């Protein structure tokens, strides 16, 4: 598709969205005036099939979402999470992996090049010698869960007893979200 055609498509989409008189329109005005109070933080992959707001049927102002290929964590992501937990008072952080993840697949096939390598290196650190794509995806999620638990264990503004950090895998075919056992993840990481 040519660039101006793509831009037209984006513009038409935005116009349709602005003109729609639905729940989101009311929510847009309300949250613009009163501010946001999202109930959960979701760290998900940038994959265009993994849209947390749609997966959890959430509207504007309901989820604080961080999306990065392979749902990996670095300081920018941690800063975003810290902001939402400390200042917006979100009390649940969900690391959300997904089936058929290209970033996990790239890591399992030797890693990427260029900037992609930053992502695949982080995934390889999480998955170790695991070569099964689904198990590798779970390990990557649980690695993130363990990292968040470590980073936010003692925070002056985030009460750790109130903070729930969970992992889950979204199935891109069925649309189902499967929660992972936290204990399994922590044990795995200590090995
Ligand atoms: Zn992915």
């Amino acid at each position: 598709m040519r660039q101006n055609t793509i831009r037209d498509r984006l513009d038409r989409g935005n116009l349709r969205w602005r003109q729609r008189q639905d729940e989101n329109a009311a929510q847009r005005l309300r949250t613009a005036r009163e501010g946001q109070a999202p109930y959960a933080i979701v760290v998900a992959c940038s994959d265009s099939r993994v849209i947390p707001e749609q997966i959890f049927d959430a509207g504007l102002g309901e989820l604080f979402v961080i999306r990065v290929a392979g749902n990996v964590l670095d300081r920018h992501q941690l800063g975003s999470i810290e902001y939402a937990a400390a200042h917006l008072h979100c009390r649940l952080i969900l690391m959300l992996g997904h089936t058929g993840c290209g970033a996990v697949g790239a890591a399992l096939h030797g890693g990427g090049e260029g900037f992609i390598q930053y992502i695949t290196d982080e995934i390889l650190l999480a998955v170790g010698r695991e070569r099964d794509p689904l198990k590798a995806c779970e390990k990557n999620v649980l690695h993130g869960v363990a990292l968040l638990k470590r980073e936010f264990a003692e925070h002056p503004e985030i009460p750790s007893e109130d903070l729930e950090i969970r992992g889950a895998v979204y199935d891109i075919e069925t649309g189902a979200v499967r929660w992972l056992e936290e204990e399994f993840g922590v044990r795995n990481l200590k090995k």
Side-chain angles (χ1 to χ4, degrees):
M1 208 183 296
R2 287 176 55 178
Q3 273 183 5
N4 52 355
T5 320
I6 300 171
R7 190 184 148 160
D8 284 347
R9 189 170 175 179
L10 291 169
D11 277 340
R12 284 197 304 274
N14 181 241
L15 186 66
R16 284 196 303 276
W17 192 67
R18 276 152 55 208
Q19 288 176 336
R20 220 174 283 147
Q21 292 302 314
D22 58 6
E23 216 174 285
N24 271 335
Q27 189 77 335
R28 192 167 73 229
L29 287 176
R30 197 178 65 75
T31 52
R33 287 171 188 152
E34 298 170 15
Q36 57 170 329
Y39 62 80
I41 301 166
V42 181
V43 183
C45 184
S46 298
D47 190 303
S48 59
R49 299 163 295 184
V50 183
I51 304 172
E53 289 86 346
Q54 291 195 7
I55 293 168
F56 297 108
D57 194 23
L60 294 173
E62 294 187 336
L63 295 176
F64 192 92
V65 176
I66 294 130
R67 287 178 69 182
V68 55
N71 42 273
V72 292
L73 295 169
D74 204 343
R75 292 178 185 190
H76 298 102
Q77 288 77 36
L78 291 173
S80 302
I81 294 166
E82 184 175 28
Y83 170 73
H87 300 285
L88 302 177
H89 312 292
C90 289
R91 286 295 168 260
L92 189 140
I93 309 172
L94 169 63
M95 290 296 304
L96 184 66
H98 69 99
T99 60
C101 182
V104 171
L108 296 182
H109 288 94
E113 291 176 351
F115 293 118
I116 297 171
Q117 198 182 344
Y118 286 105
I119 293 168
T120 50
D121 278 356
E122 183 64 23
I123 295 172
L124 282 170
L125 199 67
V127 305
R129 292 181 181 176
E130 182 60 64
R131 285 298 170 263
D132 175 73
L134 184 60
K135 286 187 183 140
C137 168
E138 291 173 358
K139 276 192 145 185
N140 187 41
V141 165
L142 293 167
H143 175 79
V145 169
L147 191 148
L148 289 174
K149 285 189 172 177
R150 211 164 50 230
E151 293 297 334
F152 294 110
E154 288 180 36
H155 191 284
E157 291 174 86
I158 308 169
S160 61
E161 64 274 16
D162 291 349
L163 190 67
E164 197 177 343
I165 303 173
R166 301 291 304 266
V169 173
Y170 169 70
D171 187 315
I172 61 167
E173 200 174 335
T174 65
V177 171
R178 180 170 54 90
W179 297 83
L180 300 178
E181 292 293 325
E182 293 168 24
E183 292 303 314
F184 167 76
V186 173
R187 265 207 308 276
N188 254 3
L189 193 88
K190 281 179 182 166
K191 269 184 190 170

